[in-house]
Amino acid sequence: MSDDGGPRIHEQEAGPPDLSVVIPAYNEEHRLTHTLDAIAGHLGADAGAWEIVVADDGSTDATRDLVTDRGDPRVRLVTSPRNRGKGHALRLGVAASRGRRVLVTDADLATPIEELERLDKALCEGNSAAIGSRSVPGAVIGDRQHRIRELLGRAGNVLIRRTALPGIHDTQCGFKLFDGDRARDAYAASRVNGWGIDVEVLRHLHRAGLPIAEVPVRWSHRPGSKVGPLDYARALTELTRIAARSARPADLYATLLFLLMSVALYSGRFFAPAHRYLPDSLRDQNQWEWFFAVTADNIAHFRNPLFTDLQGFPDGVNLMANTVMLGMSVPLTPLTLLAGPAVTLSLVMTLGLAATAAAWYWLIVKYVAPSRTAAFLGAALAAFAPPMVSHAHAHPNFVVLFMIPLIIDRALRLCAGTRVVRDGVVLGLMAAYQVFLGEEPLLLAALGMLLFAAAYAAVRRDRARATWRPLLRGLLIGASVCLPLIVYPLVWQFAGPQSYTDIEHNPRSFNSPLALLSFAERSWLAGDADTANALAFNTTEQNAFYGWPLALLALAILVRLWKRPLVKALAFTAVAAAVLSLGREIRVPRTDVTLPGPWELLADRPLFEAVIESRVAMICAPALGMLLAIAVDRLLAAHRTPTTRYAGLLAIALALLPLIPAPLRAVDRTAVPAFIANGTWKSYVRDGESLVPVPLPDPSDAEALHWQTEAGLGFRLAGGYFNGPYGDERVGIYGAEPRFTSNLLREVRNSGEVPPVNGSWRAQARADLAYWKAGVLVLAPQPNGRALRETVEKLVGKPGRWVNGVWVWDLHMRGLG
């Protein structure tokens, strides 16, 4: 070690060698001698032809002495004062090398030195690096590693290919030959000190456009490996650092902007999710918080995550038949248990929206428009279009769509036909995961991809003929992977307890043609609540509202870029989706004329019968976003004149500005009654009983679900807000199956009139309360509360008691007269 504590190079002066062999070493006294003998014996006696540089990484055994005691000027030692990792050692060793070529090999010589000829041949063919590989055809594996280490290594290589080095199958084989100057530059630019150095160096060469050859070699596992269990975690951390450093600044800025846009949209709730409510979500925020809470509760208590009787008691709720997003709610169970479902829902929707925009951005850059500015604008429209903002109030299954661009990418890879089996398997896994995020978005995405494929095949028949076979084969492979993973949950969904056959939607669930050309309520500059409410059946289902300026812009793009097959296919996809969203009958605005709509062909088909047809217009958002990206990319091209560029960008700005969403409205949350909040309810509800709010919770008032989540799901609820069956035909409805008493109390709430209760009504009330196994009736202050209280008193036959902010009827002390 030098006087200043830095590394010391032990060497003798000699002419520059043709080959430098760099060996990182840490406590290698038991095998280094054999390795040095083998390398020196193979390289021969020519003193000027080679050198060996042993980079000692702070060894505490006799490793250094083995090198210095050899007395061979061609074998040099570079030392580090302490152990810092293989990467640090290699950086020192390569920096000390002088050869025209640099071979980096591990001290165990798992790849024999005789394999150097193969690498040298590949380097002479014009490559900057030739790396030994155990994963390409022709490689020979002798003694194998432990099965677990082998599986971890394969998983690591897959991750490396996906995040850092596409196309390279084995980065970690410790036998690599470099052009000397390229190696010194690459290792000098490296920063990691651990096992990730191989990835970082090869990525440096790859990003510089320098060719890298992957050469099959012989390899055998050697005992005494220095790789421990924690090294895999450290390598993953280093890989993350490498990927983060190598990312383009524009990509990082785009992702950050998407996150800031999402936080701004949810700013009214994001910073206090447990105390703020989005009123335009209607009752859905309470429902979704309950979904996250009940899933976490089921997982924490090792119960079936597909069913619960905490709501809709005693029949319960088929959770798979409701969109509980098991793909999010299950893995986020620890967060829900720790911070509460309101925090989980807020983070899922905020981060999910940003992740969706980032995924569209990545897809557009990869396939549509390389310009980062163009891709950003296109992805922003795809993720923050008015229909998406409408669903951002209350439907995370239509906000968290980051898997859809990944699925599209995998389908496009299948068309290339290069790795059909692998891509088919990955597609199947992705589709299975999307099922647990949202089945309806997956169905709509599949419909959009089918429309696009049909249009593109029509304009590019040559491409269609070349791609349909690998695509079909990959889809069949994907289905064979996906179906076994989802078959049990789907059987439970369609045939399990509390499943239903179909569900009735609002009769206004179609889009008016005017809705496609109007502005949504939440559009910042042009929003019109009266117009939007007249054209959509509620604030969470404003599924069109792209505005006439964007429609005109899309038409102009189509006319100007008509020759491009991609533009034609995207335009057809957007128009077809818009027309399908008009429903079974297309009503001509301001007339009594109706025309048959193409949705009639799909409306009663399996799966489609449950789709709200106005949502099909959401397919337009990514299609329009990609058209926008193509136009902006064209305008930003270097050959465009300034006048054309500025005029085009001005037109795009005028079309997009009216669509910029205003932050979602948020209000202070209604306080949970003290009777619930402080646990007084525990004295009234016994095991096996339910708490019955007055009136019972339903889609028009689901505040009792918030009571239940605040009480830690400690009691069961009669009634509720979910999708369940009704009648012998098991038709789907919103809420629990209505009974006489629940209907009566709902009517009183709505009318404020006390009905004439008679003996038969009281008998029916007794039967309903017995069916619900009611322990207590609870009436919180609300409009028409007096009429509700008088009605309950007549049904129960005794007055209620005012307890901690609510009226209570203890049914254990009743004689329901």
Side-chain angles (χ1 to χ4, degrees), residues 306-318:
L306 306 181
F307 185 81
T308 184
D309 64 356
L310 287 172
Q311 193 182 162
F313 189 77
D315 300 313
V317 180
N318 187 322

Side-chain angles (χ1 to χ4, degrees), residues 52 98-99 145 154 195 257 495 570 589 592 697 702 742 785:
I52 300 176
R98 298 170 297 159
Q145 305 177 77
R154 290 180 180 177
W195 304 97
L257 280 175
L570 289 170
D592 295 329
S742 59

Side-chain angles (χ1 to χ4, degrees), residues 43-59:
L43 295 180
D46 186 354
W50 56 267
E51 67 173 356
I52 300 176
V53 179
V54 178
D56 179 74
D57 190 32
S59 295

